Amino acid sequence: MSITARKLAPTGPVLALAASGLLFASTPASAATSCLGSTCTGKDPAATTCQNDAKTVYWDGWLNVELRYSPSCRAAWARWQGAGGTTEPLKVQIENNQGATYSVTTTGATVYTRMVNDKDVLARAAGFKNGGAQYSYTAWY
């Protein structure tokens, strides 16, 4: 399945709801701002509606860095949940194949990066330890 077909699949029902006026009803629960694709780049996922339908699409399996994706926003970010903690700094990074990159460093607290556009492009998450000597990437999504 192509990138576009894979990522557009969930938009059919969203467009139907938008046309009926049900999706964008103003309620206190939907007070957070939203974005789509490139307008999400650099935004905090927790300050948008993107976190509401986010799912972990890949996990690196070694440093436990997750690639998070929001189908409604078509945006991605990296997350590391402080499970077990770490005694040395861990850099968590998100990047897309258009060159957008955001990172954050932790020594044990749960962290997540800013978002990157994932509309018709690919993104991946990564973790780096020991100044980059040890690293792990998720697959592209």
Side-chain angles (χ1 to χ4, degrees), residues 20-44:
S20 71
L22 295 175
L23 181 65
F24 301 107
S26 184
T27 64
S30 65
T33 61
S34 190
C35 55
L36 179 64
S38 62
T39 65
C40 295
T41 298
K43 291 188 178 177
D44 179 347

Side-chain angles (χ1 to χ4, degrees), residues 1-83:
M1 183 182 280
S2 74
I3 294 171
T4 303
R6 174 176 48 87
K7 293 183 180 176
L8 280 179
T11 60
V14 172
L15 292 175
L17 285 172
S20 71
L22 295 175
L23 181 65
F24 301 107
S26 184
T27 64
S30 65
T33 61
S34 190
C35 55
L36 179 64
S38 62
T39 65
C40 295
T41 298
K43 291 188 178 177
D44 179 347
T48 69
T49 58
C50 303
Q51 68 177 344
N52 298 344
D53 69 345
K55 57 186 177 179
T56 298
V57 292
Y58 287 116
W59 171 66
D60 76 355
W62 181 56
L63 295 174
N64 299 321
V65 175
E66 302 171 49
L67 175 60
R68 304 280 291 163
Y69 175 73
S70 167
S72 64
C73 294
R74 313 264 309 270
W77 61 94
R79 178 175 73 177
W80 184 80
Q81 298 187 74

Side-chain angles (χ1 to χ4, degrees), residues 85-136:
T86 181
T87 57
E88 57 190 74
L90 173 67
K91 179 180 169 185
V92 178
Q93 179 177 293
I94 185 71
E95 66 179 299
N96 70 14
N97 63 349
Q98 291 180 327
T101 302
Y102 293 96
S103 63
V104 63
T105 301
T106 184
T107 55
T110 296
V111 294
Y112 56 90
T113 64
R114 298 280 176 170
M115 295 187 288
V116 296
N117 177 19
D118 201 26
K119 182 179 181 218
D120 303 326
V121 297
L122 296 172
R124 69 179 177 179
F128 301 92
K129 287 175 72 172
N130 296 325
Q134 295 176 307
Y135 57 89
S136 184

